[in-house]
Amino acid sequence: MFLSKLMPLDDAQKIINTFTESTDVEEISLEEAYQRVNAQEIISTLNSPPFDRSAMDGYALLAEDSFGHSETNPFQLKVMDRIGAGQKSDLKLKPGEAIKISTGAPIPSGANAVVMEEFTHEEGDIIHVETSLTPGENVSPAGEDFNKGDTVLEKGKLLGPAELAIIASAGFDHVSVYKKPRIAVLITGSELVMPKKDLEGAEIINSNHFTIKSMVESCMAVPEMFHSIDDAQLVEERFNELLKDYDTLITTGGTAISKGDVVVDVAQKLGEVHVHGVSLRPGKPFGFAQVQGKPVFMLSGFPVAAMVQFDVFAREALLKMQGFKRNPLLVHKKAARKIASTLGRTDYIRARMEGEMVHPLKIKGSGIIRSMVESDSYIIIPENLEGIEEGDQCQILPYHSLKA
Amino acid sequence: MFLSKLMPLDDAQKIINTFTESTDVEEISLEEAYQRVNAQEIISTLNSPPFDRSAMDGYALLAEDSFGHSETNPFQLKVMDRIGAGQKSDLKLKPGEAIKISTGAPIPSGANAVVMEEFTHEEGDIIHVETSLTPGENVSPAGEDFNKGDTVLEKGKLLGPAELAIIASAGFDHVSVYKKPRIAVLITGSELVMPKKDLEGAEIINSNHFTIKSMVESCMAVPEMFHSIDDAQLVEERFNELLKDYDTLITTGGTAISKGDVVVDVAQKLGEVHVHGVSLRPGKPFGFAQVQGKPVFMLSGFPVAAMVQFDVFAREALLKMQGFKRNPLLVHKKAARKIASTLGRTDYIRARMEGEMVHPLKIKGSGIIRSMVESDSYIIIPENLEGIEEGDQCQILPYHSLKA
């Protein structure tokens, strides 16, 4: 039997933080690296671009040849060569000469500007140029983006389209990333069954199976799902097995605070319970333990409470294991009605954003899944506020910003 | 040779919209349905919860027995049965009787309230109750969440943790979803090579390979990557092959506006080019065509321009093909400095958010990948503004909110 005072969120988060470590590093192909987190800074092996290149389709020339010229005072150049993208001219350009060039091709030796095709017309090997250019015009200089030896990406970045592009451009087709943590999810509850159309007796559909699985996936971690009836012996066996094989254990159910409850009791027996009961609504009956040196997140069996607890405690921890730290985007909107809270407790109120307003849902109850489907965000009422008046600016956490 | 006036964004988006259709529907296991889009509304086959159930661990009783009682005036009940979660009592409760009950278990016949365990103490088969209860207290009534026949989810929803939970609770272990569109990505450019540490001659690393691939993945679609040199004949062959096998073609390169360019010319030859050149910066040289009845998005070869074009034109189209319509979350922040623009042109300025401020990056050039890595959002300057003054509220599109 484990009893405790409700713990403030910050304290619980700090404790969890001290017990979560990053996973091992593995090297993978850049082709597979989208939505992974790089475990090493990227130092470029190349200049990018690797040479002065043309930013336009046109003619490479000496800017000095064009000085003082215009549409009404054109000048002529002799076209010495024609190079497409991927080609390079070996000629050295002299005054009075031009080389036809495609976007991306290396600026020929001797040239220092590119005139766009539309400011010219060609007659045989001669072009008439109807504009003047400054040296460097329409030229992307070598190393404009970055140089060999530059750190182009810090470690711990979530690899998105731009990050993959810069790693590639730095010369790498492989990248070191943190391994995806393997998460055992143990859903407890004798009444729980998988979805079916005819329920019997006291059966309830195991919706947490789907919520927690997909929430783990939304943290880029790999869930494996298990179920146990409410039996201390069986739950204990499961703990021992799963903590041997997985990086982390997440449970649902058996976390009641007022008395001993199956899951928290097992965690206390096998390891150490560091958090049990937090001043969060919904989500008070949350537990965190370290067992066999591994973190165990004990969520409520109530679907909505479990989701909030996951978002508040497990989500950032699973990302941290992958070397990724971030601050989810908070927005501010006006409360469409008054919301009561209690000093010392943090509330996560399901809400719906609409323009500059946010509407707290009226549906209460930590079992009401519909309230999660109909909302798109949490209004967070921090513990130092007694509530929010109608029209007050409040802090909103859009569900979308929770996903990594 | 294909020439055109620059088209406003809205017009181009409307045209694209008329040429994109949703994919076929398939039925998949709910286990696999995270981040898919449901193609049918979900009508519950069950009440949820399916019976009146206990919201607490405690004793089921008749509230009427408790009226007028309190800590200083307790009363006694006889415990007739004990039921855990997943169990059901066949007894019918009479006045003076109680049944020990776990959270989630069905309320026994005759009972109408549950007293929490901490307001009682047990002596053998007798409990002393030190509080009074109202009828319904600590009882979650059947159908509190939803009832059989209720529409619990509209079609076209992105299936996240809450949506999966409600589909399961409605009795379904399978769900109809839109197929993931298969996207052929054809990167053109004779100069492009895969990442390596020693570049020769005019070689440039094909960073678009990684950007466009991962951007397609971020839209929940399935990319297949191809490359072609800048040769009209070869590009035409690729168009013909790929449009036979894939739902959509996305190309990069060969979209210059001032003159004929390989990719747009091929699209014009094989089908119809509906958009070529948009008043967008960066990203002006964008093309959209319909070829063999399929949409073709022609992006610039410049990495940053291609990313912006994808975000503005391709992203929502790929989601729409999967039956998903959404409005990415826009936020508003104060510009840290003045930003110039031009009437009639939409600007997507790479920027970094910081508290209530947003900092436009100083890096220009549509080839500068570093600017995408260092920014976390676009400042959007709509076509009816000539720019933004320092301190003005401006419209921000966080990159994070682009991901589905």
Side-chain angles (χ1 to χ4, degrees), chain A residues 79-145:
Chain A
V79 180
M80 307 301 293
D81 201 356
R82 290 161 200 273
I83 52 175
Q87 295 177 334
K88 197 178 163 171
S89 178
D90 293 328
L91 294 180
K92 182 168 160 53
L93 212 70
K94 291 192 286 287
E97 295 177 349
I99 289 180
K100 190 162 199 226
I101 192 165
S102 294
T103 307
I107 301 294
S109 167
N112 64 3
V114 173
V115 59
M116 286 169 73
E117 214 167 349
E118 50 262 63
F119 294 113
T120 65
H121 62 268
E122 205 172 317
E123 281 183 284
D125 276 353
I126 301 298
I127 50 163
H128 303 263
V129 181
E130 301 175 331
T131 187
S132 69
L133 296 121
T134 54
E137 196 162 339
N138 298 323
V139 173
S140 301
E144 180 187 35
D145 203 343

Side-chain angles (χ1 to χ4, degrees), chain B residues 191-206:
Chain B
E191 75 281 21
L192 299 175
V193 295
M194 292 309 274
K196 56 179 183 176
K197 293 189 176 52
D198 298 295
L199 294 179
E200 288 159 39
E203 290 178 344
I204 296 276
I205 286 172
N206 182 358

Side-chain angles (χ1 to χ4, degrees), chain A residues 3-311:
Chain A
L3 289 160
S4 76
K5 223 170 124 269
L6 296 186
M7 188 183 278
L9 254 61
D10 278 3
D11 294 356
Q13 285 165 333
K14 269 178 213 146
I15 290 170
I16 292 168
N17 196 42
T18 63
F19 289 104
T20 45
E21 286 170 15
S22 46
T23 53
D24 294 339
V25 169
E26 59 183 342
E27 190 169 275
I28 62 170
S29 163
L30 201 57
E31 297 279 354
E32 309 297 327
Y34 176 55
Q35 288 282 95
R36 299 296 293 267
V37 181
N38 63 316
Q40 280 180 358
E41 62 177 7
I42 307 292
I43 297 170
S44 184
T45 65
L46 297 169
N47 300 323
S48 179
F51 42 75
D52 293 350
R53 60 178 173 170
S54 179
M56 291 290 168
D57 291 332
Y59 296 87
L61 46 72
L62 280 86
E64 290 74 7
D65 279 349
S66 73
F67 291 175
H69 291 281
S70 67
E71 205 175 342
T72 53
N73 178 25
F75 67 104
Q76 294 182 7
L77 296 172
K78 188 168 182 210
V79 180
M80 307 301 293
D81 201 356
R82 290 161 200 273
I83 52 175
Q87 295 177 334
K88 197 178 163 171
S89 178
D90 293 328
L91 294 180
K92 182 168 160 53
L93 212 70
K94 291 192 286 287
E97 295 177 349
I99 289 180
K100 190 162 199 226
I101 192 165
S102 294
T103 307
I107 301 294
S109 167
N112 64 3
V114 173
V115 59
M116 286 169 73
E117 214 167 349
E118 50 262 63
F119 294 113
T120 65
H121 62 268
E122 205 172 317
E123 281 183 284
D125 276 353
I126 301 298
I127 50 163
H128 303 263
V129 181
E130 301 175 331
T131 187
S132 69
L133 296 121
T134 54
E137 196 162 339
N138 298 323
V139 173
S140 301
E144 180 187 35
D145 203 343
F146 52 82
N147 284 296
K148 187 171 172 168
D150 285 354
T151 298
V152 293
L153 200 66
E154 303 295 329
K155 76 178 215 180
K157 296 286 179 190
L158 185 62
L159 303 180
E163 289 77 15
L164 297 175
I166 212 162
I167 295 171
S169 298
F172 299 98
D173 60 2
H174 278 70
V175 62
S176 284
V177 297
Y178 295 96
K179 284 190 177 171
K180 284 174 178 267
R182 296 175 62 247
I183 314 296
V185 179
L186 178 60
I187 308 280
T188 72
S190 308
E191 75 282 21
L192 298 175
V193 294
M194 292 308 273
K196 56 179 183 174
K197 294 189 176 52
D198 298 295
L199 294 178
E200 286 158 39
E203 290 177 345
I204 297 275
I205 287 173
N206 182 356
S207 65
N208 279 340
H209 173 96
F210 298 94
T211 351
I212 308 301
K213 178 170 185 255
S214 57
M215 291 180 102
V216 171
E217 288 169 350
S218 78
C219 298
M220 314 178 302
V222 183
E224 194 81 46
M225 305 302 297
F226 301 91
H227 174 245
S228 172
I229 60 168
D230 302 305
D231 176 285
Q233 174 86 38
L234 290 174
V235 170
E236 184 177 333
E237 284 169 20
R238 281 301 204 179
F239 261 68
N240 281 324
E241 275 166 41
L242 297 176
L243 286 164
K244 219 170 288 162
D245 295 341
Y246 291 85
D247 298 315
T248 296
L249 176 61
I250 297 177
T251 65
T252 66
T255 62
I257 294 163
S258 52
K259 49 154 201 112
D261 209 338
V262 178
V263 173
V264 177
D265 284 353
V266 166
Q268 182 67 356
K269 182 176 169 191
L270 301 180
E272 198 171 348
V273 174
H274 295 285
V275 178
H276 186 210
V278 288
S279 49
L280 169 65
R281 188 164 92 171
K284 184 170 68 173
F286 167 76
F288 176 79
Q290 198 191 33
V291 182
Q292 294 182 18
K294 292 185 178 163
V296 179
F297 296 85
M298 295 172 282
L299 312 181
S300 167
F302 284 111
V304 177
M307 290 177 81
V308 173
Q309 290 166 341
F310 187 98
D311 286 334

Side-chain angles (χ1 to χ4, degrees), chain A residues 31 34-35 46 57 85-86 117-118 145 161 190-191 197 209 213-214 218 258-259 369-370 400 403, chain B residues 31 34-35 46 57 85-86 117-118 145 161 168 190-191 197 209 213-214 218 258-259 369-370 400 403:
Chain A
E31 297 279 354
Y34 176 55
Q35 288 282 95
L46 297 169
D57 291 332
E117 214 167 349
E118 50 262 63
D145 203 343
S190 308
E191 75 282 21
K197 294 189 176 52
H209 173 96
K213 178 170 185 255
S214 57
S218 78
S258 52
K259 49 154 201 112
I369 299 165
R370 200 157 34 92
H400 188 277
K403 283 196 266 195
Chain B
E31 297 279 354
Y34 176 56
Q35 289 280 97
L46 298 168
D57 291 332
E117 214 167 347
E118 50 261 64
D145 203 344
S190 308
E191 75 281 21
K197 293 189 176 52
H209 174 96
K213 178 171 185 255
S214 58
S218 78
S258 52
K259 48 155 202 111
I369 300 166
R370 199 157 35 92
H400 187 278
K403 283 197 265 197

Side-chain angles (χ1 to χ4, degrees), chain A residues 302, chain B residues 51-58 101-107 114 138-140:
Chain A
F302 284 111
Chain B
F51 41 75
D52 292 351
R53 62 177 174 172
S54 179
M56 290 289 169
D57 291 332
I101 192 166
S102 294
T103 307
I107 301 294
V114 172
N138 297 324
V139 173
S140 301

